[in-house]
Amino acid sequence: MEAIVTFGEILLRLSPPGKEKLFQSPVFHIFFGGAEANVAVSLSNFGHSVRYVTVLPDNEIGESVASELKKFGIDTRFIVKKGNRLGIYFTETGANQRPSKVIYDREHSSMAEAKRGDIDWELVFKDAKWFHTTGITPAISQSAADLTLEAVNAAKSKDITVSIDLNYRAKLWRYGKSAPEVMKNIVKYADIGIANEEDCQKSLGIEEEMDVSGSKLDLSFYERLSKKVIDMYPNLEKIAITLRESHSADHNGWSAVLRNEKECLIGTKYDITDIVDRIGGGDAFSAGLIHGLIKFGNDKEALEFAIAASCLKHSIPGDFNLASEKEVLALMEGETSGRVQR
C-alpha cells in the first residue's frame, strides 16, 4: 500500500480539567498533539498507511511520543532523534462567552532547531503517494521554514500530491519574517490548499474584507476569497476553506467550501452545541478531505466527508480525532440523534 506522509511538530499539551481556567487547580490533563500528527492519526484510523515525520529529543519523552503514535498504527521509523526538548502548549477550554486560550512554550524545541539535511526525504518518500504539511512548522523558526520548503520541493520532484493547511498562528511568527514572505514560496509546491478565511488573508496576504466575528457568515465572501487564492496560485487544483460561525465557545456552526477549476462547492452546515474540544477540528477536516479525495474521487463527497469528520472531532477530548470512517459516514447519512447504540 502506498503511504501518506505527514510532517510537522508534535507537542505536549497541558489542559486543566473540564473548562477550568489555567492553574485554577493543581492538575493538568496531558495529551500529545500537533496539526500534522493529528492528521496522521485520523488517516490511519480511516485505513491508510501513514508515515509521520518529525524531530524529537532522544529521551523518555521522545520515546513516549513515538509509542503513542505507534498505538494508532503510524509508521514512526522516519522520526529523527535530535535536540533537547519537546515543545509544549497550554490550552484553556472556553465556555459560553469566555473564549478558549492557547499559550505556546516551544522555542528551542527539537523541531524549531531542525534544519535542511536533517531528514532523508529520498527515504521518506519511497513508495509515497501523498504529502501533507502545514503553515505551523514554518512559523516556529527560519530553519524549520527552510526544512519545510526542502520537504515540499522533494515531494514535488517525485510527483507526489502535496496538500498544505495554511494554519496561520499569530503568536508564532516572531523570528523576523512575515507569514506571506515564507508561505508564498511553500504554497507554490502544493496541489491542494486548506485554510480558513484568516489563513488566506494573513498567510498569503490576500485582501478580501469581511467581519467573521458574528454568528452569520456571507457565503459569497468565501466564493470570492477561494477564487482569489486559485487565481494567485494556478498550481493549486483545489482550495478548501472552512466556515465557522461562533455563537459562543460552546456553540458553533460548521461548514466549508471547496473550489476546483470548474466550480465552488458549498458543503452541509452542522450546528454544533455543547462543544467538548474544538482543538484539532481543522486537522480532522484536512484528514477527512485527503481521505475523501483518495477514496471517493469526487470533490463533493470528499468535502462532505471532511466536514462531517471535523464535526465529530468537536465531541472528542484531546487533539486526535478518534472517529471511525463508519461513524463519519453515518453522520453524513443523517444519523444526528446521538442515541445510544446497543
Side-chain angles (χ1 to χ4, degrees):
M1 183 185 296
E2 291 182 310
I4 299 173
V5 179
T6 74
F7 163 71
E9 182 172 35
I10 190 167
L11 304 107
L12 178 68
R13 169 180 165 181
L14 301 176
S15 301
K19 297 188 177 181
E20 290 185 7
K21 291 183 67 63
L22 288 170
F23 303 104
Q24 183 175 337
S25 61
V27 175
F28 280 113
H29 290 160
I30 296 174
F31 305 94
F32 291 119
E36 305 84 2
N38 301 342
V39 171
V41 169
S42 284
L43 288 170
S44 185
N45 285 341
F46 295 151
H48 296 277
S49 173
V50 183
R51 299 171 186 165
Y52 177 63
V53 183
T54 192
V55 182
L56 296 175
D58 190 8
N59 57 29
E60 289 84 352
I61 298 174
E63 288 298 328
S64 295
V65 173
S67 295
E68 180 71 8
L69 293 170
K70 287 176 184 176
K71 289 193 317 188
F72 295 98
I74 294 169
D75 186 348
T76 62
R77 291 175 299 156
F78 306 99
I79 291 176
V80 173
K81 298 295 182 65
K82 187 177 180 181
N84 297 312
R85 68 178 296 250
L86 185 72
I88 300 171
Y89 81 103
F90 300 82
T91 180
E92 176 182 299
T93 301
N96 296 318
Q97 283 69 44
R98 176 169 60 87
S100 297
K101 296 179 182 177
V102 172
I103 299 173
Y104 295 111
D105 176 20
R106 55 201 296 180
E107 290 187 22
H108 304 294
S109 67
S110 292
M111 190 68 239
E113 295 185 347
K115 62 184 186 303
R116 284 177 177 268
D118 282 347
I119 295 169
D120 185 345
W121 296 112
E122 186 71 25
L123 190 61
V124 166
F125 289 135
K126 184 178 180 181
D127 300 322
K129 63 181 176 183
W130 197 294
F131 177 60
H132 178 77
T133 192
T134 77
I136 298 177
T137 300
I140 61 177
S141 69
Q142 180 65 65
S143 63
D146 293 340
L147 182 55
T148 305
L149 185 59
E150 179 184 63
V152 293
N153 190 3
K156 286 314 300 176
S157 72
K158 295 184 174 299
D159 295 322
I160 293 169
T161 299
V162 174
S163 57
I164 294 179
D165 187 340
L166 299 181
N167 266 338
Y168 177 75
R169 298 291 184 266
K171 292 182 178 180
L172 294 181
W173 288 98
R174 293 289 185 267
Y175 61 86
K177 292 279 186 72
S178 70
E181 284 181 273
V182 175
M183 292 305 297
K184 285 181 178 180
N185 291 325
I186 293 173
V187 174
K188 289 177 182 178
Y189 291 92
D191 302 289
I192 312 294
I194 303 164
N196 64 21
E197 74 289 327
E198 182 185 46
D199 297 333
C200 295
Q201 294 168 321
K202 299 295 179 63
S203 287
L204 302 181
I206 294 176
E207 296 183 5
E208 184 67 45
E209 294 300 325
M210 189 189 86
D211 180 9
V212 296
S213 61
S215 60
K216 186 69 174 177
L217 300 181
D218 178 7
L219 288 175
S220 66
F221 164 82
Y222 292 89
E223 293 174 339
R224 295 192 306 271
L225 182 62
S226 61
K227 187 175 188 307
K228 282 192 173 184
V229 175
I230 290 288
D231 288 346
M232 182 180 288
Y233 295 94
N235 54 287
L236 287 175
E237 298 173 7
K238 314 175 200 296
I239 176 71
I241 303 178
T242 56
L243 287 66
R244 185 183 295 276
E245 294 178 345
S246 293
H247 304 284
S248 72
D250 307 283
H251 180 193
N252 289 179
W254 182 250
S255 185
V257 302
L258 186 149
R259 180 176 288 279
N260 55 33
E261 296 174 350
K262 297 180 180 179
E263 59 186 336
C264 185
L265 302 167
I266 299 172
T268 297
K269 185 173 81 170
Y270 293 93
D271 191 43
I272 309 174
T273 58
D274 302 313
I275 293 172
V276 173
D277 194 339
R278 60 164 283 184
I279 291 179
D283 308 321
F285 177 88
S286 293
L289 185 66
I290 293 168
H291 174 70
L293 290 173
I294 291 172
K295 178 163 184 176
F296 304 126
N298 176 290
D299 287 357
K300 178 62 174 174
E301 288 186 76
L303 177 63
E304 294 295 346
F305 188 91
I307 298 169
S310 182
C311 175
L312 290 176
K313 168 60 193 74
H314 288 71
S315 69
I316 300 171
D319 278 45
F320 298 157
N321 185 16
L322 305 180
S324 67
E325 181 191 51
K326 182 178 179 180
E327 290 171 318
V328 177
L329 292 173
L331 178 57
M332 289 173 62
E333 293 166 3
E335 180 51 65
T336 62
S337 68
R339 289 173 62 92
V340 176
Q341 297 178 353
R342 302 182 190 274

